[in-house]
Amino acid sequence: MNLFEKEAFVTKAAEEFESQSPEALLKLAIETFPRLTLACSFGAEDVVLVDMLQKINPNVDIFYLDTNVHFQETYETRDRLEQHYGKKFVQVLPKLTLEEQATQYGDELWKSDANQCCNIRKVDPLTDILRNYDAWITGIRRDQAPTRANAKKVEYDVKFGLIKFNPLADWTSEDVWNYIREHNVIYNPLHDRNYPSIGCSHCTRQVMPGEDARAGRWSNSEKTECGLHK
């Protein structure tokens, strides 16, 4: 597809599939884009999408951005999912090791410049892996954050130059957990310990009663996104 065709596809599909199920949209994505991938962080939304994809087409690539500083529970969730589905997830690493990053930018860059750290360990690796695809699937939902409130189920991702599918955009957290319970989906146990949104261990804390669901991400700073979706 050229850019004009992509934009026409996005406009038509976003309108047509707004009221349809995530599975229906995933089927469209698979049928339309042979070079398709799911970005998985092993959070609640993403394990739902992993489960759906395995039932529709288990051959779709699934990758994860390994920042080297995920919680141990996150890595264990990856291992359990791989064993359960017999599916190997594609590991995407930053160009710099943590030691090389510390040498070049100073120790604990996530404290002094969280945006730079996210760019090195997430955004740049994502840019590299997405060059291999024409479309990608994400688990973002509109009610997760104000920055995601206007997300469409199908978008043209200008930042990365490809089609972006958000099958769960109109789902609530309750919808996600209803699916997990109904289908007995493996999930990150940190969710049971007041971690509704799980990122790197250095930049994620438990959410206290009454706080926003993403309050535990980059706490005590104005940062709200890692740069993958904005």
Side-chain angles (χ1 to χ4, degrees):
M1 293 184 182
N2 59 36
L3 181 57
F4 177 79
E5 290 170 331
K6 288 178 181 178
E7 290 177 344
F9 170 83
V10 164
T11 300
K12 183 174 184 296
E15 180 178 352
E16 182 178 343
F17 284 84
E18 173 60 27
S19 59
Q20 296 197 39
S21 69
E23 291 92 340
L25 185 56
L26 288 172
K27 289 176 183 176
L28 173 72
I30 292 166
E31 292 167 0
T32 309
F33 298 97
R35 298 203 311 162
L36 174 72
T37 187
L38 166 65
C40 180
S41 66
F42 306 110
E45 290 79 12
D46 292 343
V47 298
V48 165
L49 291 171
V50 168
D51 187 72
M52 289 178 177
L53 276 179
Q54 296 316 291
K55 293 171 179 174
I56 299 169
N57 186 336
N59 297 318
V60 174
D61 287 350
I62 301 174
F63 74 88
Y64 66 101
L65 301 175
D66 190 349
T67 61
N68 303 125
V69 284
H70 288 306
F71 288 94
Q72 183 60 33
E73 290 87 346
T74 300
Y75 290 115
E76 290 170 356
T77 301
R78 173 203 61 192
D79 295 343
R80 291 168 60 214
L81 289 166
E82 287 186 337
Q83 181 176 12
H84 178 74
Y85 295 111
K87 174 80 173 181
K88 189 70 176 176
F89 301 123
V90 178
Q91 180 191 45
V92 181
L93 289 164
K95 289 186 173 67
L96 298 180
T97 66
L98 288 170
E99 293 75 17
E100 290 168 339
Q101 178 174 297
T103 299
Q104 190 167 339
Y105 295 95
D107 289 333
E108 300 184 325
L109 180 61
W110 48 86
K111 290 183 178 179
S112 60
D113 192 340
N115 287 325
Q116 177 74 296
C117 190
C118 282
N119 284 335
I120 293 169
R121 312 212 73 75
K122 290 185 177 182
V123 180
D124 290 346
L126 178 64
T127 303
D128 290 340
I129 188 68
L130 289 184
R131 290 194 180 104
N132 300 315
Y133 299 97
D134 296 317
W136 67 311
I137 305 162
T138 86
I140 68 173
R141 295 186 295 104
R142 292 169 187 152
D143 69 356
Q144 286 173 324
T147 52
R148 302 180 180 189
N150 297 317
K152 293 180 169 54
K153 286 195 174 180
V154 188
E155 303 175 320
Y156 179 68
D157 194 327
V158 176
K159 183 169 186 174
F160 299 109
L162 71 173
I163 305 295
K164 181 178 181 180
F165 291 92
N166 305 313
L168 306 182
D170 61 338
W171 274 27
T172 63
S173 178
E174 184 178 0
D175 292 328
V176 172
W177 285 101
N178 284 342
Y179 184 97
I180 288 174
R181 288 187 287 265
E182 182 179 346
H183 297 272
N184 198 27
V185 178
I186 293 166
Y187 66 89
N188 194 323
L190 287 173
H191 288 309
D192 293 331
R193 293 180 237 157
N194 297 323
Y195 287 87
S197 178
I198 304 168
C200 295
S201 59
H202 296 304
C203 298
T204 308
R205 65 162 174 82
Q206 290 176 305
V207 170
M208 298 297 105
E211 286 187 317
D212 180 81
R214 286 180 66 84
R217 303 292 298 276
W218 305 287
S219 185
N220 300 319
S221 77
E222 295 182 0
K223 184 174 173 63
T224 60
E225 293 280 358
C226 55
L228 304 184
H229 302 293
K230 281 293 177 182

